Amino acid sequence: MGKIWRISGPVVIAEEMRGTRVYEVVEVGDARLAGEVIGLEEDKAVIQVYEDTVGLRVGEPVKGTGEILMVELGPGLVGNIFDGTQRSLVTMIEATGDFIERGVRTSPLDRNRKWHFTPSVKAGDQIEEGDIIGTVSETGLVEHRIMAPIGVNGSIQKISEGDYTIEETVALVVDDKGKEKQITLMQRWPARKPRLYKKRLNPENLLITGTRIIDYMFPLALGGKAAIPGGFGTGKTVTLQQMARWAQTQINIYVGCGERGNEMADVLHSFRKLKDPNTGRLLQEKEIFIANTSNMPVVAREISIFIGITIAEYFRDMGYDVLLVADSTSRWAEAMREIGARLEETPGEEGFPTYLGSRLASFYERSGRVECKGRPSRTGSVTVIGAVSPPGADFSEPVTQNTLRIVEALYSLDVALANKRHFPTISWLGSYSLYTDATRKWWSSISPEWSETRNIALKILQQEAELEEILTLVGPESLPEDDKLVLLVARMIREDFLMQNAYHPVDTYTTPRRAHMMLGTIMKFHELAQKLSASGTLVSEIASSRMLQKISRMKEISNEDIDGYIEDLRSDMENQKEGI
Ligand code: ADP
Ligand code: MG
């Protein structure tokens, strides 16, 4: 036990702290605020405090807990809303009313609730760490697989079906030295330490997001890492929300980090209504929220990301595909800068700590597809997407630049597109994905033509960009017919395929198959138009074809009717081969 020696905003220095360790969790002051030791010098400990430090006084006690910051893992995670240090906001609001008081201790997971446990191993079985020993049906969408924690190996002495709280023993294991170990539904894991797995695997399957420009043009693989940089109002939050809603993963984690509280409230609200397109169940049955909004203590922001990723890895270890989105990693980096400044560290670029790059990497590098530990053998993945909000949309600033070195897919949001109300504002010229090759095989199961269709469309968009430069010098009338056709088709690709309205009930989510039908139709029209143009039809005549209007309505046609609609369109095209 030590005492407060100095207070500087969220950073407290305590004296008489010999014996404490870096990253040990401590209770600070009479209010017992939660904090974490981040530095030691002789008998003094530098502590970052996760709660508002107003009112703390020099001399108040500081008590070590002997523990590092642990994440609670078990049934009760899904559908929950946690703050930056994994306090359940749901439980806290029940405990203290809407206004969350400082120093409130609530357990992350409900201690009283009973869960029905069904064993999948029996007494006498030999088990190893990571083995699945049974299941709990957590929500209608998630089967929670109970795994033997790391370090638990031996033979099952007792295990039985029944209703248990997360702290009650569901299985008793005896190791080869005769030592007994109890397995409960809950286990704990240090937030800053990656969870263990057997082997890293290459990503190969598409993460279906339902956003056409992502899935079709710049595909993200399950287990991949991506960033979405964009200036204010370019659609970072909406894009991440769309992913957290519709991504075809088994668990989605939304980390709201330093962004506005009312936006977070909107997110939470929408999940209470939206249904999973495949099962018809509420989306929140597979969602976990971590909210550390701009009005909450800045220090907790730093750890919130690690709590999120630890939960993601835990579900990965069950054999699931997990998506984690973080909005925004810039606010997260700013928290580090603020703490760094309090510590009087020598700052790096633009005042960010010199370890900015390695801290960003220690988050993104926890993504991946892996062979999980334990039996039955299984694979799981964590995909990470972080929003980056560079001040003034200047991508040369340190957070964007450091992130670019780590991620393998980039969705670059374009202010000019936002001004034109072209959403999503993902730039087709400034974005890329290194998962295009990895997902080729997956895409070929939807259509062998994917790769070619994608390449041609991207090429037309590229040509459009080049023509636009010429157009600033000469009028469109002076362009040759070939170029006019490029401009026409590029506009169709942009407006009828890439543009996608998040608020339209059909357009909000597009399956890969449907996306291919849509772009394939535009490309068929392109071929037809090329033929007609070659035989003398003017592009201006082609542009007034009724088919253009039909193509532009494609995106709003319901999923039940789209096949017939596109069949009609294609037969129209067949019939028009002779001329418009
Ligand atoms: P940011 O988080 O980058 O500041 P937001 O995600 O809040 O920006 O987006 C700003 C606004 O842009 C939204 O309120 C919405 O009106 C519009 N918007 C963004 N993306 C879309 C989309 N896919 N479809 C329709 N509107 C969008
Ligand atoms: Mg935002």
Side-chain angles (χ1 to χ4, degrees), residues 231-238 240-241 254 259-260 263 327-328 331 387 389:
F232 180 76
T234 50
K236 296 177 295 295
T237 300
V238 173
L240 284 186
Q241 282 177 13
Y254 188 101
E259 294 292 296
R260 290 190 298 273
E263 275 186 349
D327 188 13
S328 139
R331 303 282 104 80
S389 14

Side-chain angles (χ1 to χ4, degrees), residues 424-483:
T425 63
I426 297 171
S427 156
W428 46 91
L429 301 172
S431 303
Y432 63 81
S433 166
L434 300 183
Y435 302 109
T436 312
D437 283 334
T439 52
R440 197 179 305 272
K441 198 162 148 234
W442 187 95
W443 262 110
S444 67
S445 72
I446 299 289
S447 166
E449 291 155 23
W450 166 70
S451 186
E452 205 196 330
T453 311
R454 171 182 179 274
N455 287 342
I456 297 174
L458 285 174
K459 198 168 146 225
I460 292 172
L461 291 168
Q462 179 73 47
Q463 288 171 333
E464 180 195 41
E466 288 158 13
L467 286 173
E468 263 163 9
E469 285 182 23
I470 300 174
L471 278 179
T472 57
L473 304 173
V474 301
E477 320 75 43
S478 52
L479 286 181
E481 286 293 294
D482 282 4
D483 289 345

Side-chain angles (χ1 to χ4, degrees), residues 348-373:
E349 253 183 295
E350 291 188 22
F352 285 104
T354 48
Y355 50 81
L356 172 68
S358 64
R359 195 65 64 87
L360 276 164
S362 69
F363 161 56
Y364 280 106
E365 301 297 350
R366 287 173 75 171
S367 64
R369 191 168 84 95
V370 305
E371 190 179 329
C372 309
K373 261 184 165 306

Side-chain angles (χ1 to χ4, degrees), residues 190-488:
R192 296 183 186 277
K193 189 176 159 198
R195 281 175 61 86
L196 309 178
Y197 50 82
K198 212 179 270 170
K199 202 170 122 197
R200 217 166 233 284
L201 305 169
N202 288 327
E204 57 180 34
N205 292 319
L206 182 75
L207 172 92
I208 301 171
T209 67
T211 297
R212 294 187 290 269
I213 186 167
I214 295 178
D215 295 355
Y216 207 94
M217 296 306 199
F218 308 108
L220 182 54
L222 290 169
K225 41 184 189 280
I228 307 188
F232 180 76
T234 50
K236 296 177 295 295
T237 300
V238 173
T239 306
L240 284 186
Q241 282 177 13
Q242 283 294 89
M243 295 195 167
R245 281 177 189 140
W246 306 122
Q248 296 300 296
T249 28
Q250 281 113 4
I251 298 281
N252 293 348
I253 302 176
Y254 188 101
V255 185
C257 192
E259 294 292 296
R260 290 190 298 273
N262 58 338
E263 275 186 349
M264 192 71 207
D266 279 352
V267 180
L268 294 172
H269 202 69
S270 73
F271 277 93
R272 284 185 170 28
K273 293 181 295 194
L274 291 169
K275 292 195 173 140
D276 182 58
N278 291 327
T279 58
R281 301 202 61 111
L282 282 177
L283 282 175
Q284 70 177 15
E285 293 191 66
K286 63 171 205 179
E287 198 80 17
I288 299 167
F289 302 95
I290 296 176
N292 198 255
T293 49
S294 51
N295 55 332
M296 294 183 179
V298 67
V299 173
R301 233 183 255 174
E302 199 270 326
I303 194 73
S304 65
I305 289 257
F306 291 106
I307 293 193
I309 199 86
T310 305
I311 296 173
E313 287 174 337
Y314 171 67
F315 281 98
R316 171 202 72 189
D317 294 344
M318 294 179 203
Y320 291 136
D321 294 314
V322 184
L323 170 67
L324 180 143
V325 302
D327 188 13
S328 139
T329 59
S330 296
R331 303 282 104 80
W332 181 57
E334 283 159 18
M336 282 185 251
R337 174 163 68 184
E338 187 169 333
I339 300 158
R342 301 275 181 188
L343 298 179
E344 288 156 21
E345 287 171 348
T346 319
E349 253 183 295
E350 291 188 22
F352 285 104
T354 48
Y355 50 81
L356 172 68
S358 64
R359 195 65 64 87
L360 276 164
S362 69
F363 161 56
Y364 280 106
E365 301 297 350
R366 287 173 75 171
S367 64
R369 191 168 84 95
V370 305
E371 190 179 329
C372 309
K373 261 184 165 306
R375 298 162 298 178
S377 82
R378 56 199 188 267
T379 60
S381 69
V382 173
T383 309
V384 168
I385 310 170
V388 188
S389 14
D394 169 15
F395 288 7
S396 69
E397 59 86 44
V399 182
T400 316
Q401 285 304 312
N402 278 290
T403 305
L404 282 178
R405 282 184 209 119
I406 306 164
V407 296
E408 305 210 335
L410 183 78
Y411 305 110
S412 171
L413 304 189
D414 185 347
V415 182
L417 290 176
N419 293 338
K420 286 187 213 149
R421 309 289 302 159
H422 173 116
F423 291 111
T425 63
I426 297 171
S427 156
W428 46 91
L429 301 172
S431 303
Y432 63 81
S433 166
L434 300 183
Y435 302 109
T436 312
D437 283 334
T439 52
R440 197 179 305 272
K441 198 162 148 234
W442 187 95
W443 262 110
S444 67
S445 72
I446 299 289
S447 166
E449 291 155 23
W450 166 70
S451 186
E452 205 196 330
T453 311
R454 171 182 179 274
N455 287 342
I456 297 174
L458 285 174
K459 198 168 146 225
I460 292 172
L461 291 168
Q462 179 73 47
Q463 288 171 333
E464 180 195 41
E466 288 158 13
L467 286 173
E468 263 163 9
E469 285 182 23
I470 300 174
L471 278 179
T472 57
L473 304 173
V474 301
E477 320 75 43
S478 52
L479 286 181
E481 286 293 294
D482 282 4
D483 289 345
K484 285 185 191 161
L485 188 58
V486 167
L487 292 180
L488 174 68

Side-chain angles (χ1 to χ4, degrees), residues 472-506:
T472 57
L473 304 173
V474 301
E477 320 75 43
S478 52
L479 286 181
E481 286 293 294
D482 282 4
D483 289 345
K484 285 185 191 161
L485 188 58
V486 167
L487 292 180
L488 174 68
V489 177
R491 199 187 77 210
M492 292 169 76
I493 299 171
R494 281 189 284 108
E495 294 181 0
D496 305 335
F497 184 73
L498 298 183
M499 253 173 103
Q500 193 172 350
N501 184 352
Y503 304 106
H504 186 281
V506 176

